[in-house]
Amino acid sequence: MTAAPGTRADEAPLLDFPFSWDGTQVPAEVEEIRAATPVRRVRTIAGAEAWLVSSYDLCAQVLKDDRFSLKDTSAAGAPRQYALTIPPEVVNNMGNITGAGLRRAVLKALNPKTPGLLEWLREEAHRLVDRMAADGPTADLRGAFCEPYSAGMHCHVLGIPQTEAPAFLRSLDIAFMNAPCPVTGAKINWDRDIARMTALLDDPATHGLMGELAALRDDPEYAHLSDEMLATVGVTMFGAGVISTSGFLAMALVYLLTHPIARDLLRDRPDLIGPGVEELLRVNLSIGDALPRLALEDVRLGDVDVKQGELVLVLVEGANLDAEKFPDPHRFDVHRDNTADHLSFGGGAHYCPATALGRAHARIALEVLLDRLPDLALAVPSGQLVWRTGFMKRIPERLPVTW
Ligand code: HEM
């Protein structure tokens, strides 16, 4: 696996990436390649060659350096990690939102201090646990809790009816696929979701972020905005937000259910759930692929010369489990002084705009679940969990639990 002595990084045999979809084990390749060369040539799902970056320092360097562009990964002819499932211009979603003058409205809506939001989350978590308790055990914690809790929160933030959640949610199984070639269903779902979100702009009951965006249509200063642009904000915030929050929560639960000492600690010391969420963000394996960037010019990266036009992949689990940055990296330690330096929210220009909401979403879920279901445990051996393949997130298809 490691490059032979004297072999340059770009001469080592090509590795296929991603290495594994199993969310219970860090792929063995991660430590091997970081030790041999943290900037390693790989072949992507789309069949392109790319540089996979696996050390903390170099991952952080790429994310902070604007010569590595996210927007340009969608350029025609650029090497790709996987086929696009969204229109190419939407890759630069937050840049478009900022350019359209909507950044302030979006950031305000994503603030968990919005009156009533935390209370809504807690009530919703209790409602879902009530429903599981009435039916079970056993239950599929992903389908019965993580997904509806997350989709419900996004409907609440967007200000659209909760009844819209299932249809928007269904699209995500295709929208976040890592496929080698374009996926027919992605465009069908995208067009349907944009049409539905556009109709919601005209619905007098719409409030929240979509209500605020709809009201801007009467403001001459925002005459440049089309309904499609506004609907795109809603569809992409729902998609990016739900896949990230429900995926992280499912993986945080997988971690706790396969590490009972960590689970017992957070159950017995609810005051540690806040720092526990941060450490779960560091150790979780939610990101199934890597954060892609295109080199806009030649850049020296570690001991490799990355050429203009080459694809660079930031391996977040490589960074988060790098012993140089986080000593004894596989130990779950809520008292680390640098846990929050993890790269699970990215870094640099594209740092996630919803970190506070993501943290609050997981914290309240864990507080309610561990309090209401103190004996929460996997209902099947962890080796029986079925891991989704060809997807941007690692997720168990079902998370059967008992309590
Ligand atoms: C635990 C929850 C979350 C995690 C782990 C997470 C993770 C990430 C990561 C890793 C990135 C960087 C992508 C890159 O650099 O290529 C990112 C960006 C982004 N996230 Fe999150 N996210 C979470 C919650 C949310 C939520 C709730 C929303 C919206 C409702 C959201 C919307 C976005 C958007 C729009 C971007 C793109 C930012 C840009 O390009 O400037 N995320 N997120």
PDB file of all heavy atoms in Angstrom, residues 63 70 91 93-95 110 153-154 237 240-241 244-245 248 281 287 291-293 343-347 349-354 357-359 393, ligand 1:
ATOM      1  N   LEU A  63      -8.222  24.038   2.337  1.00  0.00           N
ATOM      2  CA  LEU A  63      -9.512  24.697   2.547  1.00  0.00           C
ATOM      3  C   LEU A  63      -9.362  26.220   2.668  1.00  0.00           C
ATOM      4  O   LEU A  63     -10.249  26.974   2.271  1.00  0.00           O
ATOM      5  CB  LEU A  63     -10.198  24.133   3.790  1.00  0.00           C
ATOM      6  CG  LEU A  63     -10.651  22.670   3.677  1.00  0.00           C
ATOM      7  CD1 LEU A  63     -11.244  22.184   4.998  1.00  0.00           C
ATOM      8  CD2 LEU A  63     -11.664  22.482   2.552  1.00  0.00           C
ATOM      9  N   LEU A  70     -13.835  25.648  -5.035  1.00  0.00           N
ATOM     10  CA  LEU A  70     -14.995  24.752  -5.073  1.00  0.00           C
ATOM     11  C   LEU A  70     -15.822  25.031  -6.327  1.00  0.00           C
ATOM     12  O   LEU A  70     -16.194  24.117  -7.077  1.00  0.00           O
ATOM     13  CB  LEU A  70     -15.848  24.954  -3.807  1.00  0.00           C
ATOM     14  CG  LEU A  70     -17.203  24.247  -3.782  1.00  0.00           C
ATOM     15  CD1 LEU A  70     -17.038  22.729  -3.896  1.00  0.00           C
ATOM     16  CD2 LEU A  70     -17.979  24.587  -2.509  1.00  0.00           C
ATOM     17  N   VAL A  91     -23.361  24.512  -7.630  1.00  0.00           N
ATOM     18  CA  VAL A  91     -22.193  24.118  -6.817  1.00  0.00           C
ATOM     19  C   VAL A  91     -21.687  25.311  -6.008  1.00  0.00           C
ATOM     20  O   VAL A  91     -21.255  25.182  -4.870  1.00  0.00           O
ATOM     21  CB  VAL A  91     -21.076  23.550  -7.735  1.00  0.00           C
ATOM     22  CG1 VAL A  91     -19.768  23.400  -6.977  1.00  0.00           C
ATOM     23  CG2 VAL A  91     -21.528  22.218  -8.333  1.00  0.00           C
ATOM     24  N   ASN A  93     -23.363  27.511  -4.484  1.00  0.00           N
ATOM     25  CA  ASN A  93     -24.631  27.945  -3.919  1.00  0.00           C
ATOM     26  C   ASN A  93     -24.506  29.152  -2.994  1.00  0.00           C
ATOM     27  O   ASN A  93     -25.182  30.163  -3.159  1.00  0.00           O
ATOM     28  CB  ASN A  93     -25.239  26.756  -3.158  1.00  0.00           C
ATOM     29  CG  ASN A  93     -26.653  27.013  -2.747  1.00  0.00           C
ATOM     30  OD1 ASN A  93     -27.380  27.709  -3.436  1.00  0.00           O
ATOM     31  ND2 ASN A  93     -27.052  26.470  -1.608  1.00  0.00           N
ATOM     32  N   MET A  94     -23.605  29.058  -2.018  1.00  0.00           N
ATOM     33  CA  MET A  94     -23.499  30.143  -1.029  1.00  0.00           C
ATOM     34  C   MET A  94     -22.949  31.400  -1.694  1.00  0.00           C
ATOM     35  O   MET A  94     -23.359  32.516  -1.360  1.00  0.00           O
ATOM     36  CB  MET A  94     -22.613  29.686   0.132  1.00  0.00           C
ATOM     37  CG  MET A  94     -22.940  30.297   1.465  1.00  0.00           C
ATOM     38  SD  MET A  94     -24.665  30.079   1.952  1.00  0.00           S
ATOM     39  CE  MET A  94     -24.847  31.451   3.094  1.00  0.00           C
ATOM     40  N   GLY A  95     -22.060  31.219  -2.661  1.00  0.00           N
ATOM     41  CA  GLY A  95     -21.555  32.371  -3.423  1.00  0.00           C
ATOM     42  C   GLY A  95     -22.699  33.043  -4.177  1.00  0.00           C
ATOM     43  O   GLY A  95     -22.803  34.276  -4.212  1.00  0.00           O
ATOM     44  N   LEU A 110     -30.826  30.579   9.847  1.00  0.00           N
ATOM     45  CA  LEU A 110     -30.088  29.412  10.343  1.00  0.00           C
ATOM     46  C   LEU A 110     -29.602  29.598  11.781  1.00  0.00           C
ATOM     47  O   LEU A 110     -28.932  28.728  12.328  1.00  0.00           O
ATOM     48  CB  LEU A 110     -28.875  29.135   9.429  1.00  0.00           C
ATOM     49  CG  LEU A 110     -29.208  28.805   7.967  1.00  0.00           C
ATOM     50  CD1 LEU A 110     -27.937  28.559   7.173  1.00  0.00           C
ATOM     51  CD2 LEU A 110     -30.124  27.583   7.887  1.00  0.00           C
ATOM     52  N   MET A 153     -37.198  19.991  11.248  1.00  0.00           N
ATOM     53  CA  MET A 153     -36.511  21.239  11.633  1.00  0.00           C
ATOM     54  C   MET A 153     -36.337  22.132  10.408  1.00  0.00           C
ATOM     55  O   MET A 153     -36.503  23.359  10.491  1.00  0.00           O
ATOM     56  CB  MET A 153     -35.136  20.940  12.239  1.00  0.00           C
ATOM     57  CG  MET A 153     -34.376  22.221  12.576  1.00  0.00           C
ATOM     58  SD  MET A 153     -32.731  21.952  13.243  1.00  0.00           S
ATOM     59  CE  MET A 153     -31.759  21.722  11.753  1.00  0.00           C
ATOM     60  N   HIS A 154     -36.024  21.525   9.267  1.00  0.00           N
ATOM     61  CA  HIS A 154     -35.797  22.356   8.073  1.00  0.00           C
ATOM     62  C   HIS A 154     -37.104  22.953   7.544  1.00  0.00           C
ATOM     63  O   HIS A 154     -37.110  24.091   7.074  1.00  0.00           O
ATOM     64  CB  HIS A 154     -35.019  21.562   7.022  1.00  0.00           C
ATOM     65  CG  HIS A 154     -33.567  21.448   7.400  1.00  0.00           C
ATOM     66  ND1 HIS A 154     -33.122  20.552   8.347  1.00  0.00           N
ATOM     67  CD2 HIS A 154     -32.486  22.177   7.021  1.00  0.00           C
ATOM     68  CE1 HIS A 154     -31.817  20.712   8.514  1.00  0.00           C
ATOM     69  NE2 HIS A 154     -31.403  21.682   7.721  1.00  0.00           N
ATOM     70  N   MET A 237     -31.055  24.567   0.728  1.00  0.00           N
ATOM     71  CA  MET A 237     -30.901  24.604   2.188  1.00  0.00           C
ATOM     72  C   MET A 237     -31.533  23.358   2.812  1.00  0.00           C
ATOM     73  O   MET A 237     -30.999  22.776   3.742  1.00  0.00           O
ATOM     74  CB  MET A 237     -31.541  25.873   2.781  1.00  0.00           C
ATOM     75  CG  MET A 237     -30.742  27.107   2.559  1.00  0.00           C
ATOM     76  SD  MET A 237     -29.073  26.980   3.256  1.00  0.00           S
ATOM     77  CE  MET A 237     -28.160  27.778   1.983  1.00  0.00           C
ATOM     78  N   ALA A 240     -28.948  20.337   1.654  1.00  0.00           N
ATOM     79  CA  ALA A 240     -27.645  20.360   2.338  1.00  0.00           C
ATOM     80  C   ALA A 240     -27.845  20.187   3.836  1.00  0.00           C
ATOM     81  O   ALA A 240     -27.103  19.461   4.508  1.00  0.00           O
ATOM     82  CB  ALA A 240     -26.914  21.667   2.046  1.00  0.00           C
ATOM     83  N   GLY A 241     -28.866  20.862   4.363  1.00  0.00           N
ATOM     84  CA  GLY A 241     -29.074  20.835   5.801  1.00  0.00           C
ATOM     85  C   GLY A 241     -29.554  19.477   6.300  1.00  0.00           C
ATOM     86  O   GLY A 241     -29.030  18.933   7.272  1.00  0.00           O
ATOM     87  N   SER A 244     -26.920  16.659   5.984  1.00  0.00           N
ATOM     88  CA  SER A 244     -25.808  16.821   6.928  1.00  0.00           C
ATOM     89  C   SER A 244     -26.248  16.578   8.366  1.00  0.00           C
ATOM     90  O   SER A 244     -25.557  15.900   9.124  1.00  0.00           O
ATOM     91  CB  SER A 244     -25.213  18.229   6.824  1.00  0.00           C
ATOM     92  OG  SER A 244     -24.719  18.449   5.535  1.00  0.00           O
ATOM     93  N   THR A 245     -27.398  17.160   8.755  1.00  0.00           N
ATOM     94  CA  THR A 245     -27.797  17.020  10.162  1.00  0.00           C
ATOM     95  C   THR A 245     -28.302  15.611  10.466  1.00  0.00           C
ATOM     96  O   THR A 245     -27.924  15.014  11.474  1.00  0.00           O
ATOM     97  CB  THR A 245     -28.887  18.050  10.548  1.00  0.00           C
ATOM     98  OG1 THR A 245     -29.936  18.010   9.578  1.00  0.00           O
ATOM     99  CG2 THR A 245     -28.333  19.452  10.639  1.00  0.00           C
ATOM    100  N   PHE A 248     -25.233  13.217  10.202  1.00  0.00           N
ATOM    101  CA  PHE A 248     -24.334  13.308  11.363  1.00  0.00           C
ATOM    102  C   PHE A 248     -24.988  12.697  12.595  1.00  0.00           C
ATOM    103  O   PHE A 248     -24.362  11.941  13.338  1.00  0.00           O
ATOM    104  CB  PHE A 248     -23.916  14.761  11.643  1.00  0.00           C
ATOM    105  CG  PHE A 248     -23.284  14.918  12.991  1.00  0.00           C
ATOM    106  CD1 PHE A 248     -22.138  14.193  13.318  1.00  0.00           C
ATOM    107  CD2 PHE A 248     -23.844  15.725  13.968  1.00  0.00           C
ATOM    108  CE1 PHE A 248     -21.554  14.286  14.583  1.00  0.00           C
ATOM    109  CE2 PHE A 248     -23.280  15.819  15.232  1.00  0.00           C
ATOM    110  CZ  PHE A 248     -22.138  15.096  15.538  1.00  0.00           C
ATOM    111  N   LEU A 281     -18.464  15.096  16.479  1.00  0.00           N
ATOM    112  CA  LEU A 281     -18.216  15.679  15.157  1.00  0.00           C
ATOM    113  C   LEU A 281     -16.814  15.299  14.685  1.00  0.00           C
ATOM    114  O   LEU A 281     -16.590  15.011  13.514  1.00  0.00           O
ATOM    115  CB  LEU A 281     -18.355  17.208  15.208  1.00  0.00           C
ATOM    116  CG  LEU A 281     -19.786  17.737  15.124  1.00  0.00           C
ATOM    117  CD1 LEU A 281     -19.887  19.163  15.662  1.00  0.00           C
ATOM    118  CD2 LEU A 281     -20.301  17.687  13.685  1.00  0.00           C
ATOM    119  N   ILE A 287     -18.876  11.798   6.506  1.00  0.00           N
ATOM    120  CA  ILE A 287     -18.563  12.166   5.116  1.00  0.00           C
ATOM    121  C   ILE A 287     -18.013  10.934   4.395  1.00  0.00           C
ATOM    122  O   ILE A 287     -16.975  10.389   4.772  1.00  0.00           O
ATOM    123  CB  ILE A 287     -17.570  13.341   5.058  1.00  0.00           C
ATOM    124  CG1 ILE A 287     -18.155  14.565   5.790  1.00  0.00           C
ATOM    125  CG2 ILE A 287     -17.234  13.691   3.607  1.00  0.00           C
ATOM    126  CD1 ILE A 287     -17.275  15.792   5.798  1.00  0.00           C
ATOM    127  N   LEU A 291     -13.999  16.511   0.389  1.00  0.00           N
ATOM    128  CA  LEU A 291     -14.398  17.839  -0.079  1.00  0.00           C
ATOM    129  C   LEU A 291     -13.552  18.184  -1.308  1.00  0.00           C
ATOM    130  O   LEU A 291     -12.334  18.262  -1.216  1.00  0.00           O
ATOM    131  CB  LEU A 291     -14.196  18.880   1.031  1.00  0.00           C
ATOM    132  CG  LEU A 291     -14.843  18.548   2.385  1.00  0.00           C
ATOM    133  CD1 LEU A 291     -14.587  19.669   3.400  1.00  0.00           C
ATOM    134  CD2 LEU A 291     -16.339  18.293   2.240  1.00  0.00           C
ATOM    135  N   PRO A 292     -14.206  18.389  -2.467  1.00  0.00           N
ATOM    136  CA  PRO A 292     -13.430  18.585  -3.703  1.00  0.00           C
ATOM    137  C   PRO A 292     -13.058  20.043  -3.970  1.00  0.00           C
ATOM    138  O   PRO A 292     -13.840  20.947  -3.691  1.00  0.00           O
ATOM    139  CB  PRO A 292     -14.423  18.105  -4.780  1.00  0.00           C
ATOM    140  CG  PRO A 292     -15.775  18.392  -4.204  1.00  0.00           C
ATOM    141  CD  PRO A 292     -15.659  18.328  -2.707  1.00  0.00           C
ATOM    142  N   ARG A 293     -11.861  20.249  -4.497  1.00  0.00           N
ATOM    143  CA  ARG A 293     -11.414  21.577  -4.934  1.00  0.00           C
ATOM    144  C   ARG A 293     -10.634  21.420  -6.231  1.00  0.00           C
ATOM    145  O   ARG A 293      -9.952  20.414  -6.429  1.00  0.00           O
ATOM    146  CB  ARG A 293     -10.486  22.216  -3.881  1.00  0.00           C
ATOM    147  CG  ARG A 293     -11.139  22.471  -2.510  1.00  0.00           C
ATOM    148  CD  ARG A 293     -12.202  23.553  -2.573  1.00  0.00           C
ATOM    149  NE  ARG A 293     -12.708  23.940  -1.261  1.00  0.00           N
ATOM    150  CZ  ARG A 293     -13.770  23.407  -0.660  1.00  0.00           C
ATOM    151  NH1 ARG A 293     -14.453  22.418  -1.232  1.00  0.00           N
ATOM    152  NH2 ARG A 293     -14.170  23.856   0.519  1.00  0.00           N
ATOM    153  N   LEU A 343     -12.364  19.395  11.233  1.00  0.00           N
ATOM    154  CA  LEU A 343     -12.772  19.968   9.938  1.00  0.00           C
ATOM    155  C   LEU A 343     -14.132  19.440   9.472  1.00  0.00           C
ATOM    156  O   LEU A 343     -14.448  19.495   8.285  1.00  0.00           O
ATOM    157  CB  LEU A 343     -11.695  19.680   8.882  1.00  0.00           C
ATOM    158  CG  LEU A 343     -10.302  20.267   9.171  1.00  0.00           C
ATOM    159  CD1 LEU A 343      -9.351  20.005   8.001  1.00  0.00           C
ATOM    160  CD2 LEU A 343     -10.375  21.765   9.448  1.00  0.00           C
ATOM    161  N   SER A 344     -14.942  18.939  10.394  1.00  0.00           N
ATOM    162  CA  SER A 344     -16.229  18.357   9.989  1.00  0.00           C
ATOM    163  C   SER A 344     -17.214  19.390   9.450  1.00  0.00           C
ATOM    164  O   SER A 344     -18.200  19.021   8.811  1.00  0.00           O
ATOM    165  CB  SER A 344     -16.866  17.591  11.157  1.00  0.00           C
ATOM    166  OG  SER A 344     -16.082  16.454  11.412  1.00  0.00           O
ATOM    167  N   PHE A 345     -16.960  20.664   9.718  1.00  0.00           N
ATOM    168  CA  PHE A 345     -17.764  21.722   9.088  1.00  0.00           C
ATOM    169  C   PHE A 345     -16.983  22.388   7.956  1.00  0.00           C
ATOM    170  O   PHE A 345     -17.357  23.471   7.500  1.00  0.00           O
ATOM    171  CB  PHE A 345     -18.159  22.786  10.119  1.00  0.00           C
ATOM    172  CG  PHE A 345     -19.215  22.355  11.110  1.00  0.00           C
ATOM    173  CD1 PHE A 345     -18.957  22.352  12.473  1.00  0.00           C
ATOM    174  CD2 PHE A 345     -20.486  21.959  10.684  1.00  0.00           C
ATOM    175  CE1 PHE A 345     -19.936  21.976  13.397  1.00  0.00           C
ATOM    176  CE2 PHE A 345     -21.470  21.581  11.598  1.00  0.00           C
ATOM    177  CZ  PHE A 345     -21.193  21.586  12.961  1.00  0.00           C
ATOM    178  N   GLY A 346     -15.909  21.766   7.504  1.00  0.00           N
ATOM    179  CA  GLY A 346     -15.079  22.360   6.469  1.00  0.00           C
ATOM    180  C   GLY A 346     -14.184  23.439   7.068  1.00  0.00           C
ATOM    181  O   GLY A 346     -13.843  23.392   8.269  1.00  0.00           O
ATOM    182  N   GLY A 347     -13.806  24.415   6.260  1.00  0.00           N
ATOM    183  CA  GLY A 347     -12.927  25.496   6.718  1.00  0.00           C
ATOM    184  C   GLY A 347     -12.754  26.491   5.589  1.00  0.00           C
ATOM    185  O   GLY A 347     -13.096  26.214   4.444  1.00  0.00           O
ATOM    186  N   ALA A 349     -13.242  29.617   3.044  1.00  0.00           N
ATOM    187  CA  ALA A 349     -14.339  30.370   2.420  1.00  0.00           C
ATOM    188  C   ALA A 349     -15.671  29.619   2.456  1.00  0.00           C
ATOM    189  O   ALA A 349     -16.733  30.244   2.482  1.00  0.00           O
ATOM    190  CB  ALA A 349     -13.978  30.692   0.975  1.00  0.00           C
ATOM    191  N   HIS A 350     -15.636  28.306   2.445  1.00  0.00           N
ATOM    192  CA  HIS A 350     -16.891  27.547   2.369  1.00  0.00           C
ATOM    193  C   HIS A 350     -17.273  26.904   3.693  1.00  0.00           C
ATOM    194  O   HIS A 350     -18.084  25.971   3.722  1.00  0.00           O
ATOM    195  CB  HIS A 350     -16.795  26.499   1.258  1.00  0.00           C
ATOM    196  CG  HIS A 350     -16.652  27.127  -0.090  1.00  0.00           C
ATOM    197  ND1 HIS A 350     -17.717  27.702  -0.757  1.00  0.00           N
ATOM    198  CD2 HIS A 350     -15.559  27.348  -0.856  1.00  0.00           C
ATOM    199  CE1 HIS A 350     -17.287  28.225  -1.899  1.00  0.00           C
ATOM    200  NE2 HIS A 350     -15.981  28.020  -1.979  1.00  0.00           N
ATOM    201  N   TYR A 351     -16.690  27.423   4.771  1.00  0.00           N
ATOM    202  CA  TYR A 351     -17.035  26.916   6.111  1.00  0.00           C
ATOM    203  C   TYR A 351     -18.558  26.915   6.257  1.00  0.00           C
ATOM    204  O   TYR A 351     -19.238  27.874   5.855  1.00  0.00           O
ATOM    205  CB  TYR A 351     -16.384  27.828   7.160  1.00  0.00           C
ATOM    206  CG  TYR A 351     -16.514  27.344   8.577  1.00  0.00           C
ATOM    207  CD1 TYR A 351     -15.966  26.129   8.974  1.00  0.00           C
ATOM    208  CD2 TYR A 351     -17.171  28.115   9.537  1.00  0.00           C
ATOM    209  CE1 TYR A 351     -16.067  25.695  10.286  1.00  0.00           C
ATOM    210  CE2 TYR A 351     -17.278  27.688  10.855  1.00  0.00           C
ATOM    211  CZ  TYR A 351     -16.722  26.469  11.215  1.00  0.00           C
ATOM    212  OH  TYR A 351     -16.830  26.037  12.510  1.00  0.00           O
ATOM    213  N   CYS A 352     -19.083  25.836   6.815  1.00  0.00           N
ATOM    214  CA  CYS A 352     -20.534  25.670   6.903  1.00  0.00           C
ATOM    215  C   CYS A 352     -21.199  26.876   7.583  1.00  0.00           C
ATOM    216  O   CYS A 352     -20.788  27.282   8.672  1.00  0.00           O
ATOM    217  CB  CYS A 352     -20.847  24.397   7.700  1.00  0.00           C
ATOM    218  SG  CYS A 352     -22.619  24.147   7.895  1.00  0.00           S
ATOM    219  N   PRO A 353     -22.220  27.439   6.963  1.00  0.00           N
ATOM    220  CA  PRO A 353     -22.879  28.617   7.557  1.00  0.00           C
ATOM    221  C   PRO A 353     -23.853  28.267   8.681  1.00  0.00           C
ATOM    222  O   PRO A 353     -24.452  29.155   9.268  1.00  0.00           O
ATOM    223  CB  PRO A 353     -23.650  29.210   6.369  1.00  0.00           C
ATOM    224  CG  PRO A 353     -23.938  28.046   5.476  1.00  0.00           C
ATOM    225  CD  PRO A 353     -22.787  27.094   5.639  1.00  0.00           C
ATOM    226  N   ALA A 354     -24.008  26.956   8.968  1.00  0.00           N
ATOM    227  CA  ALA A 354     -25.051  26.554   9.925  1.00  0.00           C
ATOM    228  C   ALA A 354     -24.469  25.716  11.064  1.00  0.00           C
ATOM    229  O   ALA A 354     -25.125  24.820  11.584  1.00  0.00           O
ATOM    230  CB  ALA A 354     -26.141  25.765   9.199  1.00  0.00           C
ATOM    231  N   LEU A 357     -26.546  25.769  14.299  1.00  0.00           N
ATOM    232  CA  LEU A 357     -27.796  25.006  14.158  1.00  0.00           C
ATOM    233  C   LEU A 357     -27.495  23.495  14.142  1.00  0.00           C
ATOM    234  O   LEU A 357     -28.197  22.704  14.784  1.00  0.00           O
ATOM    235  CB  LEU A 357     -28.499  25.424  12.851  1.00  0.00           C
ATOM    236  CG  LEU A 357     -29.868  24.824  12.597  1.00  0.00           C
ATOM    237  CD1 LEU A 357     -30.844  25.204  13.706  1.00  0.00           C
ATOM    238  CD2 LEU A 357     -30.420  25.274  11.240  1.00  0.00           C
ATOM    239  N   GLY A 358     -26.447  23.112  13.425  1.00  0.00           N
ATOM    240  CA  GLY A 358     -26.063  21.685  13.368  1.00  0.00           C
ATOM    241  C   GLY A 358     -25.753  21.141  14.751  1.00  0.00           C
ATOM    242  O   GLY A 358     -26.164  20.035  15.112  1.00  0.00           O
ATOM    243  N   ARG A 359     -25.030  21.945  15.540  1.00  0.00           N
ATOM    244  CA  ARG A 359     -24.675  21.489  16.900  1.00  0.00           C
ATOM    245  C   ARG A 359     -25.924  21.394  17.780  1.00  0.00           C
ATOM    246  O   ARG A 359     -26.115  20.424  18.516  1.00  0.00           O
ATOM    247  CB  ARG A 359     -23.689  22.471  17.535  1.00  0.00           C
ATOM    248  CG  ARG A 359     -22.304  22.427  16.920  1.00  0.00           C
ATOM    249  CD  ARG A 359     -21.389  23.452  17.588  1.00  0.00           C
ATOM    250  NE  ARG A 359     -20.027  23.256  17.159  1.00  0.00           N
ATOM    251  CZ  ARG A 359     -19.317  24.153  16.457  1.00  0.00           C
ATOM    252  NH1 ARG A 359     -19.860  25.305  16.105  1.00  0.00           N
ATOM    253  NH2 ARG A 359     -18.072  23.898  16.119  1.00  0.00           N
ATOM    254  N   LYS A 393     -22.569  10.593   1.849  1.00  0.00           N
ATOM    255  CA  LYS A 393     -22.484  10.375   3.299  1.00  0.00           C
ATOM    256  C   LYS A 393     -22.450   8.885   3.567  1.00  0.00           C
ATOM    257  O   LYS A 393     -23.070   8.106   2.831  1.00  0.00           O
ATOM    258  CB  LYS A 393     -23.720  10.955   4.005  1.00  0.00           C
ATOM    259  CG  LYS A 393     -23.966  12.424   3.738  1.00  0.00           C
ATOM    260  CD  LYS A 393     -23.059  13.306   4.540  1.00  0.00           C
ATOM    261  CE  LYS A 393     -23.255  14.772   4.179  1.00  0.00           C
ATOM    262  NZ  LYS A 393     -22.326  15.654   4.845  1.00  0.00           N
TER     263      LYS A 393
HETATM  264  C1  HEM B   1     -24.020  18.662  11.720  1.00  0.00           C
HETATM  265  C2  HEM B   1     -24.488  19.309  10.689  1.00  0.00           C
HETATM  266  C3  HEM B   1     -23.672  19.790   9.510  1.00  0.00           C
HETATM  267  C4  HEM B   1     -22.455  19.373   9.059  1.00  0.00           C
HETATM  268  C5  HEM B   1     -21.562  18.286   9.629  1.00  0.00           C
HETATM  269  C6  HEM B   1     -22.131  20.176   7.886  1.00  0.00           C
HETATM  270  C7  HEM B   1     -20.964  20.059   7.156  1.00  0.00           C
HETATM  271  C8  HEM B   1     -20.579  20.941   6.154  1.00  0.00           C
HETATM  272  C9  HEM B   1     -19.305  20.936   5.484  1.00  0.00           C
HETATM  273  C10 HEM B   1     -18.198  19.930   5.717  1.00  0.00           C
HETATM  274  C11 HEM B   1     -19.291  21.964   4.611  1.00  0.00           C
HETATM  275  C12 HEM B   1     -18.131  22.399   3.709  1.00  0.00           C
HETATM  276  C13 HEM B   1     -18.252  21.859   2.293  1.00  0.00           C
HETATM  277  C14 HEM B   1     -17.026  22.201   1.474  1.00  0.00           C
HETATM  278  O1  HEM B   1     -16.136  22.886   1.944  1.00  0.00           O
HETATM  279  O2  HEM B   1     -16.957  21.726   0.325  1.00  0.00           O
HETATM  280  C15 HEM B   1     -20.578  22.613   4.694  1.00  0.00           C
HETATM  281  C16 HEM B   1     -20.972  23.687   3.920  1.00  0.00           C
HETATM  282  C17 HEM B   1     -22.291  24.085   3.820  1.00  0.00           C
HETATM  283  N1  HEM B   1     -23.316  23.739   4.662  1.00  0.00           N
HETATM  284 FE1  HEM B   1     -23.194  22.526   6.256  1.00  0.00          FE
HETATM  285  N2  HEM B   1     -23.165  21.039   7.654  1.00  0.00           N
HETATM  286  C18 HEM B   1     -24.123  20.842   8.620  1.00  0.00           C
HETATM  287  C19 HEM B   1     -25.337  21.509   8.727  1.00  0.00           C
HETATM  288  C20 HEM B   1     -25.836  22.371   7.780  1.00  0.00           C
HETATM  289  C21 HEM B   1     -27.161  22.933   7.773  1.00  0.00           C
HETATM  290  C22 HEM B   1     -28.213  22.715   8.866  1.00  0.00           C
HETATM  291  C23 HEM B   1     -27.267  23.698   6.645  1.00  0.00           C
HETATM  292  C24 HEM B   1     -28.440  24.510   6.121  1.00  0.00           C
HETATM  293  C25 HEM B   1     -29.667  24.385   6.518  1.00  0.00           C
HETATM  294  C26 HEM B   1     -25.998  23.627   5.950  1.00  0.00           C
HETATM  295  C27 HEM B   1     -25.711  24.289   4.769  1.00  0.00           C
HETATM  296  C28 HEM B   1     -24.454  24.366   4.217  1.00  0.00           C
HETATM  297  C29 HEM B   1     -24.156  25.177   3.040  1.00  0.00           C
HETATM  298  C30 HEM B   1     -25.124  26.031   2.250  1.00  0.00           C
HETATM  299  C31 HEM B   1     -22.780  25.006   2.805  1.00  0.00           C
HETATM  300  C32 HEM B   1     -21.966  25.635   1.669  1.00  0.00           C
HETATM  301  C33 HEM B   1     -21.199  26.828   2.203  1.00  0.00           C
HETATM  302  C34 HEM B   1     -20.369  27.520   1.145  1.00  0.00           C
HETATM  303  O3  HEM B   1     -20.145  26.972   0.066  1.00  0.00           O
HETATM  304  O4  HEM B   1     -19.923  28.649   1.406  1.00  0.00           O
HETATM  305  N3  HEM B   1     -25.156  22.819   6.672  1.00  0.00           N
HETATM  306  N4  HEM B   1     -21.345  21.980   5.655  1.00  0.00           N
END
